[in-house]
Amino acid sequence: MNLGVDTVRSIPQIVPYTSYVTFLFQISGLVAMETNGSVMSLQDGEKTCLSSVSNETSTRYGSIADSLPTSEPSTVETTVLSPRRSYITVAVLCYVNLINYMDRYTIAGVLLSIQKFFVITDSTSGLLQTVFVCSFIILAPIFGYLGDRYNRKFIMIGGLSVWVVTTLSSSFVTESNFWLLVLLRALVGTGEASYSTIAPTIIGDLFSGAKRTVMISAFYIFIPVGSGLGYIIGSFVAKATGDWRWALRVSPRNRTYSIEIKQHTSMNAVCLISLSVSPCSKSFVWSSLGVTAMAFLTGALAFWTPIFLSRAQVTQGIQPPCITEPCDTSDSYIFGVVTVVTGILGVSLGSTISRRLRDRVPNADPLICAVGMLSSAPCFFAAIVLASTSIPATYVFIGIGETLLSLNWAILADILLYVVVPTRRATAEALQIMVCHLLGDAGSPYLLGAISDALRTYQPDTHVWNLRSLEYSFLLCPFVGVLGGLFFLMTALYITKDRKNAELLAAGTIVTYGFIWVYG
C-alpha cells in the first residue's frame, strides 16, 4: 500500500487587521503525518494506528476487512515535534482558545445595548447565540471528518480566516439590518467549528498520561478565562467608546511562527479501526449526554446572567433602567471578573483532584464531574431566587456554582481522549460537540428568552415582572444541572472497561463484532 506524505512546510504569515485572533498555527507541524486520506501520530512511545486510503484502490475508510496487514513492514514518515516545540504549540492553541471564547461572549457582555440598538425582545436576542451554535453544530462533524484525514493546521487556518472577516463585518451592521447580524454570527461558528474539533486532539497526539492531563487542563482553563474576558473587555470598550460595536473591533497583537521537523519511523503494522468500535462506547455516550446538560446550563447562564443582574438592580432601585444605548454594563464587567477567577480556580482544582485520585479510583473522573454538576445546581438555584433581594449574595452563589461547574472542563476532554483511539479522536470530538450543542446551548439562550417573553405578557412594561419573567425561566437551569450529574454517574459505571478497550485498540488489538484482530 502506497502512503503519500505531505511534509509540513512554512506558510506565509497571515496578519488579520481586526478581531480577536491571528494565526499562530504556523508554529506547529502538529505532530501529524499527512497521507492520502490519513493521519497518524507517534508520541511518548504510544503506538497509534493509521487509517489509510490508497490512490490505487477503492478501500473504504474504516473498513475492517481492508485492514489486514501486508507481509512486509510498512515504512512511514512522521512529523514529530521536540518537547520545546510541543509546549509552544500548546501555548498557541491555548491563546486561540482564549480569543475564541472572548469573541463568543463579547456579544453577551453588551447585550443590553444591543437590545436597545435594534429594539429586540429576549427571544430575538437569544437567536444571536442560537444561530452561532447551530452553524457550529452543522460544521463540526465536517471539520472533525477532515481533521482525521487531512492537514489539520491548514483546516484551522481556513476556518479562522472566515471567523476574522465575519467578526469584523458584524460590527458595521446598521439598526435596520438585524437579520444581517444574525447571519454573520452564524458564520462566526465556522472558526470555532474548525478549531474546537481539532485542537484537543492535537494535544492528545503531543502528550500522554499525566502530562497530557496537565496540558489539557491548561488548554481548557482558557474557556472560563476567555469567557470572562469577553464580558470584561466588551463592557470596558463599550463604555470607553460609547458604542457597543467597538467591542467587536478590538484586536490583540501577536506573532507568527513556522516549523518544519521530520523524523523517519518504521512500523511493523498499520491497523485500521472502525468508528463504531471505540467512540460509541457506553461511557462516551453517557459522558456526551453529561456534556450536553453542562452546555445547556452554561450557555443559558453565560448569555443571560448580566441582563438578569441588571434587571435585579433596577428592581431594587440600585441603578436606573436603560432607556437608550449605551447602557450601563457594570454587571457584565463584574460577572466577567467572577468568571475568570472561578474558572482558573475550578479547572485547576478539578485537574489536581483528578490526578491524585485516578490511580486509586479508576472511575474518579466522571465521579468528579458528577459531584461538580450536582453541587452547582443548588448554588445556581440560590443565586436565582436571591437576586431580587441581595446582589452580593447572588454573586457569592454564582461564584461557588461556577467554581464547581469548572471542575469538569479539563476532565471532560481527558475522558474523551482516553476512551477513543487516536485515529478517531477528531471525529469523536466532532460528534460530541454536535450532540452537546444541538441539545444544549444551541437552544437554551433562545428557550429562556422565549419563556421570559411569554411570561412578560401577563404584566408588560413593569420592572418587577421583567425580572420575574427571566427569573422563572432561569429556574430550568438547576434542574438540567441535576440531570447532567446523573449522566456522569452513569458514565462512571462503564468508563474503566471502555478505557481498557481503547488501550487495546491503540496497541494493535481490535475487538469488534465478537472477533479479535491482532496485528504484530
Side-chain angles (χ1 to χ4, degrees):
M1 183 178 293
N2 296 323
L3 299 176
V5 178
D6 295 327
T7 304
V8 178
R9 300 188 182 279
S10 303
I11 59 177
Q13 180 177 359
I14 302 174
V15 183
Y17 49 88
T18 188
S19 185
Y20 299 129
V21 65
T22 56
F23 306 122
L24 303 184
F25 290 107
Q26 281 83 333
I27 189 174
S28 55
L30 303 183
V31 190
M33 182 202 74
E34 305 297 344
T35 71
N36 295 333
S38 65
V39 177
M40 189 203 73
S41 64
L42 289 175
Q43 181 69 13
D44 295 335
E46 177 180 287
K47 179 179 179 181
T48 306
C49 297
L50 168 68
S51 297
S52 176
V53 178
S54 173
N55 286 335
E56 292 77 24
T57 65
S58 59
T59 55
R60 290 179 58 84
Y61 190 89
S63 171
I64 294 297
D66 296 323
S67 64
L68 296 177
T70 60
S71 58
E72 297 180 359
S74 299
T75 301
V76 296
E77 188 175 14
T78 184
T79 301
V80 180
L81 298 186
S82 65
R84 177 176 174 272
R85 294 300 189 185
S86 298
Y87 289 121
I88 294 176
T89 300
V90 173
V92 171
L93 295 175
C94 289
Y95 173 78
V96 180
N97 202 33
L98 172 73
I99 304 303
N100 177 22
Y101 277 87
M102 284 175 58
D103 176 75
R104 179 188 282 205
Y105 290 109
T106 297
I107 287 286
V110 295
L111 185 59
L112 192 58
S113 294
I114 292 175
Q115 284 188 324
K116 297 301 178 182
F117 183 81
F118 291 105
V119 191
I120 53 177
T121 62
D122 287 348
S123 58
T124 306
S125 302
L127 281 176
L128 291 172
Q129 192 73 353
T130 296
V131 296
F132 167 80
V133 178
C134 285
S135 68
F136 186 37
I137 293 168
I138 295 170
L139 295 170
I142 298 173
F143 283 113
Y145 178 89
L146 296 175
D148 276 335
R149 290 155 177 82
Y150 303 105
N151 192 308
R152 292 175 290 183
K153 179 172 64 175
F154 296 138
I155 292 171
M156 286 189 285
I157 288 176
L160 292 174
S161 298
V162 177
W163 175 22
V164 170
V165 173
T166 52
T167 299
L168 175 66
S169 301
S170 63
S171 68
F172 294 99
V173 176
T174 60
E175 295 101 317
S176 59
N177 293 311
F178 177 73
W179 63 269
L180 181 57
L181 179 62
V182 173
L183 175 62
L184 290 171
R185 287 302 294 174
L187 293 176
V188 169
T190 304
E192 185 162 342
S194 66
Y195 175 75
S196 298
T197 56
I198 296 174
T201 70
I202 294 171
I203 299 176
D205 289 343
L206 288 168
F207 301 96
S208 63
K211 188 175 292 186
R212 183 175 67 191
T213 300
V214 173
M215 293 299 105
I216 287 291
S217 300
F219 177 79
Y220 276 92
I221 203 170
F222 286 99
I223 291 180
V225 171
S227 302
L229 288 177
Y231 296 111
I232 294 170
I233 294 177
S235 172
F236 177 80
V237 172
K239 183 177 181 180
T241 61
D243 189 345
W244 63 270
R245 291 171 293 188
W246 278 102
L248 301 178
R249 300 170 186 168
V250 177
S251 175
R253 300 301 172 186
N254 49 66
R255 302 156 55 194
T256 56
Y257 302 82
S258 180
I259 293 178
E260 178 182 355
I261 299 177
K262 294 191 297 182
Q263 177 174 319
H264 293 279
T265 304
S266 177
M267 296 180 62
N268 290 328
V270 177
C271 59
L272 189 65
I273 299 175
S274 172
L275 175 64
S276 63
V277 179
S278 181
C280 292
S281 61
K282 291 181 179 179
S283 59
F284 177 82
V285 173
W286 285 112
S287 65
S288 295
L289 292 174
V291 175
T292 300
M294 185 174 173
F296 184 100
L297 176 61
T298 56
L301 291 173
F303 194 78
W304 287 114
T305 296
I307 283 187
F308 177 66
L309 293 173
S310 176
R311 291 180 182 179
Q313 295 195 63
V314 169
T315 300
Q316 296 180 43
I318 299 175
Q319 68 181 34
C322 179
I323 306 300
T324 59
E325 62 98 16
C327 301
D328 185 359
T329 56
S330 58
D331 294 297
S332 296
Y333 188 91
I334 298 172
F335 181 66
V337 173
V338 172
T339 301
V340 170
V341 174
T342 58
I344 294 173
L345 179 61
V347 173
S348 302
L349 185 61
S351 60
T352 300
I353 296 173
S354 173
R355 289 197 305 272
R356 293 186 177 182
L357 290 183
R358 190 176 294 172
D359 292 337
R360 290 179 291 173
V361 184
N363 59 351
D365 285 351
L367 290 177
I368 295 171
C369 293
V371 171
M373 290 287 286
L374 292 173
S375 301
S376 66
C379 294
F380 289 128
F381 178 82
I384 292 168
V385 298
L386 290 174
S388 60
T389 57
S390 176
I391 297 298
T394 299
Y395 272 118
V396 168
F397 281 106
I398 287 176
I400 297 173
E402 285 195 328
T403 301
L404 293 169
L405 205 59
S406 295
L407 294 175
N408 300 1
W409 283 118
I411 298 175
L412 292 173
D414 215 17
I415 288 175
L416 184 144
L417 290 175
Y418 63 64
V419 299
V420 177
V421 292
T423 52
R424 286 297 183 268
R425 283 173 181 164
T427 302
E429 184 81 24
L431 288 173
Q432 188 176 86
I433 285 174
M434 181 181 69
V435 172
C436 78
H437 289 299
L438 177 65
L439 303 178
D441 56 348
S444 61
Y446 176 79
L447 178 61
L448 265 63
I451 295 174
S452 176
D453 283 346
L455 293 174
R456 198 186 302 180
T457 58
Y458 291 100
Q459 297 183 34
D461 301 326
T462 62
H463 297 310
V464 173
W465 196 246
N466 283 347
L467 170 66
R468 293 300 181 191
S469 62
L470 191 54
E471 175 185 324
Y472 295 151
S473 65
F474 250 144
L475 291 176
L476 182 62
C477 292
F479 171 77
V480 175
V482 172
L483 194 61
L486 297 178
F487 289 146
F488 285 123
L489 289 177
M490 293 299 298
T491 305
L493 298 177
Y494 303 104
I495 196 166
T496 303
K497 179 181 178 181
D498 290 340
R499 183 174 186 175
K500 289 180 179 178
N501 288 341
E503 290 172 353
L504 289 174
L505 289 165
T509 303
I510 298 179
V511 182
T512 180
Y513 306 115
F515 295 96
I516 300 179
W517 301 81
V518 181
Y519 302 132

